[in-house]
């Protein structure tokens, strides 16, 4: 008999690379360019294909991108790992965190400032930014009234609209945003003691039809080819009358096999009489379980695995519908919908406490496929049926809808939003430059660095924030900032003036500031290239001491919109979730600082 002989361990080869090694620098630059090209509503899609063949993934979202691509450089691996830890908790903001982190690392390595000093200054700069973002004086932050459907819809639209792989036009974007918001509102429990869960919404992807065919269904839908409308009419689940005159369908839920191959029936050798059959003994026990379910007046038997054909036939003859092969995903949805306890053994007594309840059982046909529709009057579980023309866009749509729902859940826990469209980044960069100038003496004493090092690093930090805002657009537009509110304005490439109104631009990137309120703008980043001085940069007001320099705040804008009650005035506003953006911001800067403190990367080639 042949056997595989392992090859002997080769001699280890230790590779010792500096962080500034060209290989590391090239890897960081390539990663930054990759992420930057995906960022924003006009980001470019990426096709990921294994060299050995197989499925092709088309995406621009960080979760799918980092999950499917292979990274070998240790520095880039560290960035990806940090971003994935953020997206695992918040779902959104992964590209922002990855882009800001890689920009900081790449730019700080090019500065004439020691890496340790740059990391220390970045940490202090981060503290200044967080102090402003978390203060009541922050002009780009506002509380979100979760009862205001217009603003909640704007938040959902901002999440969905930033994913170009969905291929949504404006009508499709508004339609899908309303569906996601409706699904979220239906998933909110009616009682204060209820819990809000991401699993309260099920998703079904239907390929080959228009997005307008997407819809929201109460209850749970899952594909069941064998259970047709005719079969359901023949095997009609029995209904039981409860106290008060209401009717219900009892549901027994099993997460173990009912085909006779359960782990409970140990595969071993027994001594038995020739007249006794092991298979018949197992089937006899399964039939006893089925008879007990009939005695309990159960109308639906749902099983995660397979049910024996003989058991199915017996149950059908007694008006019990059998639904098997649910899988691990659908059984959780059915359990939440019915309130049943999953039964994991065939040798315990089944009592009423483990039985769930349904209001109705029906069938639905979508694109020539049969779906079983289970509904309950006591559960908030809903199913979002998503339709699109091709598989790639459909899968991306499902992932983004889950992300949008997660963002809404985060907003319900922390109802705060920030200006989107890069306006928060440009506004924060202007505030940062002002604060560094105002607190120069305190910062120098605390950090123990030179004035040139402080201004160079802090200015680089602000420039990275502005570069993130600029990365939202990929078609050669001109990026400017107004001297009053410091918001991000995107002018067309052919614009011959820096005045937004003269260039035909009506609002800033977030939609909050109107162009008729702005007389002039300046190119974003041009101040950062000037010589370093300790004077306040021209056009950057002192936000904390002189709020009069900023005519608008996000809070005031939202209050005015709520007072006017006109949806069209806020239909184009772009909002970012505050908890998502804040955590991504912190993760990006802290990861960049940790990388900057690395002197060498050592790994074993074997």
């Amino acid at each position: 008999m042949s056997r595989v002989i392992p090859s002997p361990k080769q001699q280890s080869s230790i590779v010792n690379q500096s962080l500034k090694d060209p290989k590391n620098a090239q890897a960081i630059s390539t990663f930054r360019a990759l992420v930057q090209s995906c960022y924003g509503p006009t980001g470019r899609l990426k096709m990921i294909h294994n060299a050995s063949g197989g499925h092709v993934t088309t995406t621009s979202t960080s979760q799918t991108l980092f999950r499917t691509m292979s990274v070998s450089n240790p520095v880039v691996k560290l960035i990806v790992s940090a971003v994935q830890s953020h997206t695992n908790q918040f779902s959104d903001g992964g590209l922002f965190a990855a882009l800001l982190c890689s920009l900081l690392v790449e730019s700080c390595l090019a500065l004439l400032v020691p890496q340790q000093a740059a990391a220390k200054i970045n940490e202090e700069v981060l503290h200044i930014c967080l102090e402003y973002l978390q203060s009541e004086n922050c002009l780009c932050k506002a509380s979100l009234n979760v009862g205001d459907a217009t603003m909640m819809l704007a938040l959902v639209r901002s999440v969905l609209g930033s994913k170009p792989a969905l291929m949504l036009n404006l009508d499709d974007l508004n339609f899908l945003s309303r569906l996601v918001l409706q699904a979220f509102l239906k998933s909110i429990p009616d009682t204060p003691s209820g819990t809000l869960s991401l699993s309260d919404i099920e998703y079904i992807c239907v390929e080959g039809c228009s997005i307008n065919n997407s819809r929201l269904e109460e209850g749970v839908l899952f594909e069941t080819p064998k259970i047709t409308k005719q079969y359901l009419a023949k095997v009609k689940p029995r209904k039981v009358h409860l106290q008060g005159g209401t009717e219900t369908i009892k549901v027994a839920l099993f997460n173990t096999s009912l085909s006779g191959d359960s782990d409970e029936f140990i595969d071993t050798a027994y001594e038995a009489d020739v007249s006794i059959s092991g298979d018949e003994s197992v089937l006899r026990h399964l039939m006893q379980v089925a008879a007990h379910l009939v005695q309990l007046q159960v109308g639906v038997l749902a099983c995660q695995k397979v049910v024996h054909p003989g058991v199915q036939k017996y149950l059908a003859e007694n008006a019990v519908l059998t639904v098997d092969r649910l899988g691990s995903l659908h059984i959780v949805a059915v359990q939440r919908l019915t309130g049943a306890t999953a039964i994991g053994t065939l040798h315990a007594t089944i009592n009423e406490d483990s039985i769930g309840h349904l209001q109705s059982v029906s069938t639905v046909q979508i694109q020539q496929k049969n779906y079983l529709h289970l509904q309950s009057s006591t559960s908030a579980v809903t199913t979002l049926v998503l339709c699109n023309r091709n598989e790639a866009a459909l899968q991306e749509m499902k992932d983004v809808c889950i992300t949008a729902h997660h963002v809404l859940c985060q907003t319900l826990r922390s109802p705060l939003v920030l200006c989107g469209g890069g306006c928060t980044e440009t506004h924060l960069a202007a505030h940062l430059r002002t604060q560094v100038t105002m607190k120069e003496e305190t910062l120098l004493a605390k950090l123990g660095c030179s004035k040139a090092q402080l201004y160079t690093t802090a200015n680089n930090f602000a420039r990275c924030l502005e570069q993130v805002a600029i990365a939202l657009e990929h078609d050669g537009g001109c990026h400017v900032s107004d001297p009053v509110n410091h918001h991000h304005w995107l002018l067309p490439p052919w614009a011959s003036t820096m005045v937004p109104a003269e260039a035909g631009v009506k609002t800033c990137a977030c939609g909050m500031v109107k162009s008729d309120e702005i007389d002039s703008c300046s190119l974003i980043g041009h101040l950062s290239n000037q010589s370093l001085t300790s004077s306040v940069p021209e056009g950057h007001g002192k936000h904390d001491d002189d709020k009069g320099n900023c005519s608008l705040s996000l809070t005031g804008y939202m209050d005015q919109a709520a007072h006017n009650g006109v949806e069209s005035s806020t239909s184009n506003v772009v909002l970012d979730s505050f908890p998502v953006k804040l955590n991504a911001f912190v993760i990006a800067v802290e990861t960049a600082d940790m990388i900057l403190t690395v002197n060498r990367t050592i790994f074993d080639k074997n």
Side-chain angles (χ1 to χ4, degrees):
M1 177 177 169
S2 62
R3 61 190 181 92
V4 178
I5 301 176
S7 59
K9 187 177 185 294
Q10 300 296 322
Q11 173 117 24
S12 296
S13 173
I14 304 298
V15 179
N16 185 347
Q17 286 183 351
S18 166
L19 186 61
K20 291 187 177 182
D21 186 273
K23 292 183 179 179
N24 284 329
Q26 180 62 37
I28 297 171
S29 177
T30 302
F31 177 75
R32 187 264 309 153
L34 171 68
V35 173
Q36 184 171 327
S37 65
C38 295
Y39 192 54
T42 61
R44 304 325 191 208
L45 303 182
K46 298 295 174 288
M47 296 183 68
I48 305 171
H49 186 213
N50 190 292
S52 302
H55 182 71
V56 177
T57 301
T58 305
T59 186
S60 67
T61 61
S62 61
Q63 287 177 292
T64 306
L65 187 67
F66 297 155
R67 185 177 63 246
T68 53
M69 65 184 284
S70 178
V71 178
S72 59
N73 183 271
V75 178
V76 177
K77 269 188 176 182
L78 187 58
I79 298 175
V80 170
S81 177
V83 172
Q84 285 179 324
S85 69
H86 164 77
T87 54
N88 288 340
Q89 183 179 358
F90 291 92
S91 293
D92 200 22
L95 291 178
F96 168 81
L99 179 57
L100 180 58
C101 180
S102 54
L103 280 170
L104 282 171
V105 174
E106 188 178 12
S107 59
C108 285
L109 290 177
L111 297 178
L112 297 177
V113 179
Q115 293 171 207
Q116 295 278 355
K120 194 173 180 180
I121 296 172
N122 283 341
E123 183 180 357
E124 194 61 32
V125 167
L126 173 64
H127 176 71
I128 293 174
C129 294
L130 294 180
E131 187 177 25
Y132 176 64
L133 289 174
Q134 294 172 337
S135 70
E136 295 182 357
N137 296 325
C138 182
L139 299 175
C140 58
K141 181 186 71 172
S143 297
L144 179 65
N145 180 9
V146 294
D148 186 348
T150 302
M151 285 301 174
M152 292 288 283
L153 196 61
L155 180 59
V156 178
R157 192 187 298 111
S158 300
V159 175
L160 300 183
S162 63
K163 307 300 186 292
L166 301 185
M167 299 185 294
L168 302 175
N169 57 38
L170 183 58
D171 292 337
D172 291 338
L173 177 60
N174 291 330
F175 173 75
L176 189 60
S177 299
R178 285 192 294 268
L179 272 184
V180 172
L181 181 58
Q182 289 174 9
F184 168 74
L185 295 176
K186 285 183 177 293
S187 68
I188 298 176
D190 296 331
T191 59
S193 59
T195 57
L196 182 62
S197 172
L198 293 178
S199 59
D200 283 337
I201 298 181
E202 291 290 302
Y203 297 88
I204 289 182
C205 296
V206 181
E207 183 182 354
C209 50
S210 171
I211 294 176
N212 293 328
N213 292 327
S214 302
R215 63 180 184 270
L216 188 65
E217 297 281 358
E218 294 186 1
V220 174
L221 271 79
F222 48 89
E223 189 177 352
T224 52
K226 295 181 180 179
I227 303 179
T228 62
K229 185 176 181 180
Q230 294 76 13
Y231 179 82
L232 189 61
K234 181 180 178 182
V235 185
K236 192 173 182 180
R238 70 173 71 196
K239 292 188 176 182
V240 179
H241 291 276
L242 299 177
Q243 293 181 355
T246 58
E247 289 184 334
T248 185
I249 300 174
K250 291 186 175 182
V251 180
L253 187 64
F254 286 84
N255 59 9
T256 186
S257 176
L258 294 177
S259 63
D261 60 350
S262 172
D263 294 338
E264 294 182 87
F265 301 105
I266 302 175
D267 186 14
T268 186
Y270 294 92
E271 290 187 6
D273 189 270
V274 293
S275 61
I276 299 177
S277 171
D279 292 341
E280 290 181 1
S281 299
V282 172
L283 180 57
R284 191 180 304 114
H285 182 77
L286 293 174
M287 295 299 289
Q288 291 175 358
V289 174
H292 183 61
L293 295 177
V294 173
Q295 184 179 358
L296 290 174
Q297 295 183 309
V298 169
V300 173
L301 168 63
C303 183
Q304 179 179 348
K305 300 181 180 179
V306 183
V307 180
H308 194 284
V311 176
Q312 293 191 42
K313 181 180 178 182
Y314 170 77
L315 291 174
E317 292 171 352
N318 289 273
V320 180
L321 178 67
T322 302
V323 185
D324 61 350
R325 304 177 189 271
L326 285 176
S328 57
L329 294 178
H330 288 312
I331 192 173
V332 174
V334 174
Q335 185 173 9
R336 291 185 65 86
L337 179 72
T338 62
T341 302
I343 303 170
T345 178
L346 302 176
H347 297 284
T349 303
I350 304 173
N351 51 41
E352 287 284 350
D353 295 336
S354 60
I355 299 298
H357 298 273
L358 285 173
Q359 181 182 12
S360 66
V361 178
S362 59
T363 58
V364 177
Q365 194 173 54
I366 306 175
Q367 287 293 97
Q368 308 302 320
K369 293 182 179 179
N370 291 312
Y371 292 84
L372 190 65
H373 189 192
L374 307 180
Q375 290 182 280
S376 172
S377 59
T378 59
S379 175
V381 179
T382 57
T383 298
L384 186 56
V385 181
L386 299 175
C387 303
N388 212 324
R389 296 296 184 185
N390 61 78
E391 180 185 0
L394 193 57
Q395 183 58 46
E396 189 90 341
M397 181 185 294
K398 177 183 175 181
D399 294 340
V400 174
C401 287
I402 294 175
T403 296
H405 179 64
H406 197 174
V407 169
L408 289 172
C409 291
Q410 294 287 343
T411 305
L412 195 61
R413 298 185 183 100
S414 179
L416 296 170
V417 290
L418 291 168
C419 295
C423 289
T424 292
E425 287 84 344
T426 56
H427 180 84
L428 192 59
H431 171 80
L432 175 59
R433 291 191 175 101
T434 300
Q435 289 300 304
V436 170
T437 302
M438 293 173 58
K439 300 178 179 180
E440 176 187 311
E441 295 182 2
T442 304
L443 292 173
L444 290 175
K446 183 176 181 179
L447 295 171
C449 62
S450 68
K451 183 186 295 186
Q453 289 176 339
L454 172 63
Y455 276 93
T456 299
T457 308
N459 200 45
N460 177 73
F461 193 103
R463 185 166 58 246
C464 287
L465 287 172
E466 293 170 337
Q467 288 298 322
V468 171
I470 292 174
L472 286 166
E473 196 271 341
H474 303 269
D475 298 315
C478 183
H479 302 267
V480 298
S481 174
D482 66 90
V484 179
N485 303 287
H486 310 291
H487 276 227
H488 175 214
W489 296 78
L490 178 61
L491 307 184
W494 56 85
S496 58
T497 175
M498 292 292 103
V499 181
E502 295 179 3
V505 178
K506 297 181 180 179
T507 65
C508 67
C510 76
M512 188 180 91
V513 184
K514 292 181 173 57
S515 58
D516 55 11
E517 303 169 358
I518 304 301
D519 296 329
S520 64
C521 284
S522 57
L523 284 171
I524 290 179
H526 83 290
L527 292 172
S528 61
N529 296 323
Q530 292 181 350
S531 59
L532 297 172
T533 64
S534 59
S535 61
V536 178
E538 181 183 354
H540 290 77
K542 298 180 181 180
H543 295 258
D544 289 341
D545 298 337
D546 186 10
K547 290 178 65 175
N549 285 335
C550 295
S551 61
L552 272 181
S553 68
L554 183 58
T555 300
Y557 172 80
M558 294 177 67
D559 290 343
Q560 182 180 3
H563 177 74
N564 295 337
V566 182
E567 183 176 352
S568 60
S569 64
T570 58
S571 60
N572 296 321
V573 66
V574 180
L575 301 175
D576 288 334
S577 170
F578 178 79
V580 174
K581 197 69 171 279
L582 188 69
N583 191 76
F585 184 41
V586 173
I587 287 290
V589 179
E590 289 183 347
T591 303
D593 288 348
M594 181 172 60
I595 293 173
L596 290 174
T597 58
V598 173
N599 184 30
R600 298 277 177 177
T601 57
I602 303 173
F603 51 96
D604 183 359
K605 281 188 175 181
N606 183 40

